[in-house]
Amino acid sequence: MWLWLALLSAFLLGFYDIAKKKALSKNGPLEILLSVTAISTLLLAPCFFLYGGPWEHHLMLMGKAVLVSASWVSGMIALDLLPITTVSTLKASRPFIVLLLSLVIYGERLSPLQYLGVVLALVSVIMITRSGKSGDRTADRRGYIAIAVSILTGVASALYDKHIMASMEPLFVQSWTNLYITLLLAVWVGGKWLRGRNAANVSRDPHDPKASFHWDWWLVAAALLITGADMAYFFALGQEGSLLSVISIMRRASVIVTFVFGVIIFKEKKLGGKLAALGFLVAALVCLMLG
């Protein structure tokens, strides 16, 4: 069952990326992250009354919120300082780092067919990276530091998830972590605003429609999708026998959705190499499911 939940999480993540991209037409990335997380927290509000938990668990979830927030914010900084192809290339390595550390730390073992799936997924990531290169070699040391922080905190968060799910309910983890992330992001955005350096307004024309927050129903759509994706992910991790190494790779299947809708909605071109990479990814998912 946990494999199907991981697959469901992946596809919901794909639709979440589509909704988030649509929302970027009206608001900046930090406003979107804060708004979507806040709406998601409201959707999960009933869980606050159902799952209290001891203070030790809340401290653990606050730690997770710090990791997630650090990964998101540093990722945004990296996007501002480095070409998007460089950032996406480096971030594509994250699930494979999680896989390797899962084998070492948690002693997870895959079947030969699942190892084949991992190799096919790696080939797919490499092909997608090569097909998306723009030739821009602009680099900034601060940008590389930021993307390193984003990757390391993202990996730490995934490994931490496996640890905390051994003793906590999925909805308790999801709801309270969302609340703590919302508070941290609110402090970050509020601090930027108070200093007159809100990330959404930096270097923007005052007449730019994204220079201030605008309500957008795509924010609600994104919140619903990420809530469902995270819920499926936590329930998958919480099931006996689930493998973080496999789940982290399977969630890469979100690119199938973004690929299809990138063609349909955003009219993206030059699909030859990406289509071949998509084929490898589908084959990888079949191997992981059957393995």
Side-chain angles (χ1 to χ4, degrees):
M1 182 65 180
W2 61 271
L3 281 169
W4 292 106
L5 287 171
L7 193 61
L8 173 62
S9 177
F11 279 95
L12 290 176
L13 273 178
F15 286 112
Y16 163 69
D17 286 337
I18 296 296
K20 191 167 60 173
K21 186 174 178 66
K22 296 290 287 185
L24 279 169
S25 63
K26 290 186 178 181
N27 291 291
L30 274 179
E31 279 82 355
I32 290 174
L33 286 177
L34 174 58
S35 301
V36 169
T37 310
I39 295 171
S40 180
T41 300
L42 289 176
L43 293 173
L44 294 166
C47 297
F48 298 142
F49 303 99
L50 298 175
Y51 305 98
W55 66 269
E56 295 93 338
H57 285 182
H58 283 275
L59 284 177
M60 294 171 72
L61 296 185
M62 289 178 191
K64 173 176 170 53
V66 170
L67 289 173
V68 173
S69 300
S71 182
W72 286 356
V73 173
S74 57
M76 290 294 182
I77 294 173
L79 272 178
D80 186 48
L81 297 173
L82 296 172
I84 189 171
T85 49
T86 301
V87 174
S88 60
T89 299
L90 294 173
K91 290 187 73 173
S93 66
R94 196 170 80 177
F96 297 98
I97 299 174
V98 172
L99 182 145
L100 292 174
L101 293 178
S102 297
L103 300 181
V104 174
I105 296 174
Y106 295 115
E108 296 184 354
R109 293 294 178 265
L110 308 184
S111 69
L113 194 57
Q114 286 175 323
Y115 276 115
L116 175 60
V118 170
V119 172
L120 291 173
L122 179 58
V123 171
S124 171
V125 169
I126 293 172
M127 292 178 69
I128 290 174
T129 297
R130 292 175 65 87
S131 67
K133 284 185 177 178
S134 65
D136 189 345
R137 295 180 177 272
T138 303
D140 187 299
R141 186 171 63 179
R142 292 173 301 160
Y144 282 110
I145 293 174
I147 192 60
V149 170
S150 180
I151 292 171
L152 292 175
T153 50
V155 168
S157 177
L159 294 170
Y160 194 48
D161 287 342
K162 180 73 173 180
H163 172 68
I164 63 179
M165 289 310 300
S167 59
M168 301 185 200
E169 291 290 330
L171 289 177
F172 169 71
V173 173
Q174 184 179 3
S175 57
W176 286 97
T177 301
N178 264 22
L179 174 61
Y180 297 137
I181 293 173
T182 300
L183 294 175
L184 287 172
L185 289 176
V187 170
W188 177 273
V189 174
K192 287 282 188 179
W193 179 80
L194 288 174
R195 294 192 302 268
R197 293 175 56 85
N198 189 297
N201 297 335
V202 172
S203 300
R204 283 204 180 120
D205 189 298
H207 300 293
D208 187 337
K210 293 167 69 175
S212 59
F213 178 77
H214 296 271
W215 174 252
D216 187 353
W217 285 103
W218 281 109
L219 296 173
V220 178
L224 288 169
L225 289 165
I226 194 60
T227 300
D230 284 349
M231 191 176 296
Y233 167 70
F234 285 121
F235 272 101
L237 266 185
Q239 291 199 353
E240 186 177 354
S242 64
L243 299 174
L244 175 63
S245 51
V246 173
I247 292 174
S248 65
I249 298 296
M250 288 190 66
R251 276 162 65 91
R252 287 290 301 165
S254 62
V255 302
I256 295 175
V257 176
T258 55
F259 178 89
V260 172
F261 281 83
V263 175
I264 297 174
I265 298 178
F266 302 112
K267 310 296 182 185
E268 293 189 4
K269 308 296 182 184
K270 300 180 180 179
L271 305 176
K274 294 179 183 178
L275 189 59
L278 193 65
F280 274 94
L281 183 58
V282 171
L285 292 174
V286 172
C287 290
L288 289 171
M289 295 292 289
L290 295 179

